Amino acid sequence: MTVSVVIVDDHDVIRVGVRESLDDDIDVVGEARDVESAVAEIRAKAPQVVILDVHLPGGTGGGALDVLAEVLHRPGAPRVLALSVSDAAEDVVATVRAGARGYVTKSISGPDLSDAVRRVATGDAVFSPRLAGFVLDAFGAAGGEVAAADEDLDKLTEREQEVMRLIARGYTYREVAEKLFISIKTVETHVGKVLHKLQLSNRHELAHWAAQRRIV
Amino acid sequence: MTVSVVIVDDHDVIRVGVRESLDDDIDVVGEARDVESAVAEIRAKAPQVVILDVHLPGGTGGGALDVLAEVLHRPGAPRVLALSVSDAAEDVVATVRAGARGYVTKSISGPDLSDAVRRVATGDAVFSPRLAGFVLDAFGAAGGEVAAADEDLDKLTEREQEVMRLIARGYTYREVAEKLFISIKTVETHVGKVLHKLQLSNRHELAHWAAQRRIV
DNA sequence: GGCACCATGAGGGAACCCCCTGATTCGACC
DNA sequence: GGTCGAATCAGGGGGTTCCCTCATGGTGCC
C-alpha cells in the first residue's frame, strides 16, 4: 500500500531530510513551510498523512495547532503525525489534544519514521517510547474522560485564549486591542475572565503559566 | 574546488537532510552521531569542514564543545561550521569561543548552507544575519579582550542584580521592597537603572531577558 | 419565546509601573 | 580632601493594570 503524505516544516533542511528518509512506498505529494500554505496544500492534495512540525511559526495559536484546527474538522481529513525537537510534556499533550494521531521527535531514524507514517495512515497512534508515558498520564488513567494537562486551557473561550496568548507575550492591553481590532475595555474584560478562570492574580503569573505549558 | 565535509549530528533525519541539501561540489566524506565517533571520524578523514550540531549529547562539556576541544588544537585542523536549532546568544558565543568559524541555524536553505560551507572552507566566518549581532557584541568592539556573553549582567551592581531577579520573577515593587527591607522608591530607582543598562523598556522584557539566560 | 453564554464595550477607581529631578550617606580612590 | 560611584530615599506625573458594575447584540438550545 502506498501512503501519500504532505510534509510541513519551516526548515528546508528538515523537509529534505524527512523526504529523503521516507521509504519508496511513501509518496510525498506536497510540502509547506508555513500555516497558510500548509492548509492550502493539505486541502488541495488531500494526503492520507500530514507530517507536521510542532514548532511551526505563524498563526494565532502557535502554528501547528492552527493547522490542526483548520484541517481536521472536516470529512476526509488526513491523519497527522507531529514531528518535534521537543519532548516536553506540554507540547505533546497540546498537540495530541488538538487531534494529532502520533508524535515523534526528530531523533527518530528513517525506517522508524516511515513505519510511523504507515501506522498512522492505518489509524494507529504512534508515540516515541519516552513520550508514551506523558500521553498515558494525560489521557486514560482517570477513567474515560480526559484528565488533561491543560484542562485549564479548555475553560477559556477562543477569544480569551487569543487575548491570553498576546498578554502572556508581554503586549500591553493597548497593543492587544490594536492587534485584534477591539477596544481596550474589551481586552480588560477578557483578561479579567482569563485570570479568574485560571485562578491567577496578575499578568506576570499568566505569563509564567503560559510559559510553563509552552503556549507562548 | 571540491570541499570535503564530515557531518556530526545525533539526529538521523537531520544528517540526511544536510547531506542531501549540499551541492555536488561538496563531498561528504564521513558522518558521526556522537562525540567519540565524531572525533575519530574527523581525525581519520581529515575533512576541510565539519558541520557540527551544537546540541550534540554526551561528553563532559556539552557535546559539541568537547568535539571542538579535541579536534581544533592540532595542525591541519578542519574549519567547523556550527549548526543549531537555537539562536540563543549563549550558545552562539560559547560555540564561537570554542573555535567554530561559523554558526547557522537549521532554518537555513540548502543553497545557503552549501554557500556557508564553502565560505568557511576558505577561511571566512559565516553567521546567520540575526546571530551576527550577538557575535559582534560579544567580541571585537571592546578591543582585543573577550567581552563575555553576560557582559550585560556585569554592568549591574550586586544590589541591582538582586532587585532584577525579584522583578523578573514577577514580584511587585512593593513586595521587592519588603523582601529587601528598603523603600519602594529605592526599588524604583534600581529597576530604572537596570532597564536603562540593559536597554529594556519594561519589566516584561526584563523577565524575558532573564528567562533567556536562565537567571530566574 | 426565554435562557445561557459569548463578545463587545463603557465608566470609574485603586493600585502599580516607569520616568524625571533631586537629595543624603558612605566608602574607595588619587 | 575632593571626587566618584553605590545605595538609600522623596515628590510628582502620566500611563497601565486590575477589578467593579452595567449594557447590548448575537448564537445555540429547549
Side-chain angles (χ1 to χ4, degrees):
Chain A
M1 180 188 89
T2 299
V3 180
S4 59
V5 303
V6 163
I7 302 170
V8 182
D9 196 309
D10 58 311
H11 300 105
D12 290 2
V13 166
I14 291 175
R15 279 207 313 283
V16 172
V18 169
R19 192 203 309 142
E20 297 297 326
S21 297
L22 292 171
D23 291 348
D24 291 343
D25 63 341
I26 295 174
D27 190 16
V28 179
V29 297
E31 298 188 9
R33 54 183 304 153
D34 55 51
V35 172
E36 292 71 29
S37 61
V39 172
E41 192 76 359
I42 291 166
R43 288 188 182 158
K45 305 291 177 58
Q48 293 169 267
V49 175
V50 174
I51 298 176
L52 178 63
D53 177 27
V54 170
H55 294 286
L56 197 65
T60 59
L65 298 184
D66 290 324
V67 175
L68 284 164
E70 283 296 320
V71 157
L72 285 184
H73 58 68
R74 51 177 61 200
R79 306 270 164 68
V80 175
L81 176 63
L83 183 67
S84 172
V85 289
S86 158
D87 58 358
E90 300 77 28
D91 280 355
V92 179
V93 173
T95 309
V96 173
R97 297 208 70 202
R101 299 296 304 243
Y103 192 110
V104 295
T105 63
K106 283 168 182 158
S107 58
I108 195 171
S109 72
D112 285 351
L113 179 59
S114 299
D115 193 46
V117 169
R118 278 188 290 264
R119 287 174 57 194
V120 167
T122 61
D124 278 0
V126 179
F127 296 92
S128 302
R130 55 190 304 189
L131 301 180
F134 292 144
V135 179
L136 293 178
D137 284 351
F139 301 90
E145 245 314 295
V146 193
D150 46 10
E151 148 182 281
D152 281 339
L153 190 58
D154 277 359
K155 293 179 189 165
L156 306 182
T157 68
E158 272 195 38
R159 198 57 158 173
E160 284 164 359
Q161 290 187 31
E162 207 169 354
V163 172
M164 176 273 291
R165 265 182 268 270
L166 294 172
I167 292 297
R169 283 181 197 161
Y171 290 106
T172 65
Y173 286 13
R174 174 179 309 280
E175 288 164 341
V176 173
E178 283 165 6
K179 261 185 188 296
L180 300 181
F181 303 106
I182 57 181
S183 87
I184 293 180
K185 283 313 222 175
T186 306
V187 176
E188 287 186 33
T189 304
H190 287 316
V191 172
K193 285 183 181 176
V194 168
L195 293 179
H196 180 252
K197 285 183 179 177
L198 301 182
Q199 310 254 32
L200 302 172
S201 54
N202 58 47
R203 58 174 304 153
H204 313 310
E205 289 181 11
L206 178 59
H208 190 234
W209 179 90
Q212 274 197 327
R213 46 212 84 197
R214 302 182 180 268
I215 292 172
V216 282
Chain B
M1 179 189 88
T2 300
V3 179
S4 59
V5 303
V6 163
I7 303 170
V8 181
D9 196 310
D10 58 312
H11 299 107
D12 290 1
V13 165
I14 292 175
R15 280 206 314 283
V16 173
V18 170
R19 192 202 310 143
E20 297 298 327
S21 297
L22 291 172
D23 291 347
D24 291 343
D25 63 340
I26 295 173
D27 190 17
V28 178
V29 297
E31 297 188 9
R33 55 184 302 155
D34 56 51
V35 173
E36 293 71 30
S37 60
V39 172
E41 193 76 358
I42 292 166
R43 289 190 183 158
K45 304 292 176 58
Q48 292 169 265
V49 175
V50 174
I51 298 176
L52 178 63
D53 177 29
V54 170
H55 292 105
L56 197 65
T60 58
L65 299 184
D66 290 324
V67 175
L68 285 163
E70 282 296 319
V71 158
L72 285 184
H73 58 67
R74 53 179 59 201
R79 306 270 163 67
V80 175
L81 177 62
L83 184 67
S84 171
V85 290
S86 159
D87 59 357
E90 303 74 32
D91 281 354
V92 180
V93 173
T95 309
V96 173
R97 295 204 68 197
R101 299 297 303 242
Y103 192 111
V104 295
T105 64
K106 281 168 184 158
S107 58
I108 195 172
S109 72
D112 285 350
L113 179 59
S114 299
D115 193 48
V117 169
R118 278 189 290 265
R119 286 174 57 194
V120 167
T122 60
D124 277 2
V126 179
F127 295 92
S128 302
R130 56 192 301 189
L131 301 179
F134 292 143
V135 178
L136 294 178
D137 283 351
F139 301 88
E145 245 314 295
V146 189
D150 44 10
E151 128 186 298
D152 280 341
L153 190 58
D154 283 354
K155 290 180 192 164
L156 307 182
T157 68
E158 273 196 38
R159 198 57 157 174
E160 283 164 358
Q161 289 188 31
E162 206 169 355
V163 172
M164 176 271 290
R165 262 182 269 268
L166 294 171
I167 292 297
R169 284 182 198 157
Y171 290 105
T172 66
Y173 286 15
R174 175 180 307 281
E175 288 164 342
V176 173
E178 283 165 5
K179 264 186 186 294
L180 300 181
F181 304 106
I182 57 181
S183 87
I184 293 179
K185 282 310 211 178
T186 307
V187 176
E188 286 187 32
T189 304
H190 287 316
V191 172
K193 286 185 180 174
V194 168
L195 293 179
H196 180 253
K197 285 183 180 178
L198 300 181
Q199 311 253 37
L200 303 173
S201 55
N202 59 46
R203 57 176 304 152
H204 312 310
E205 289 181 10
L206 178 60
H208 190 235
W209 180 90
Q212 272 199 327
R213 44 213 84 195
R214 303 180 183 274
I215 291 172
V216 281

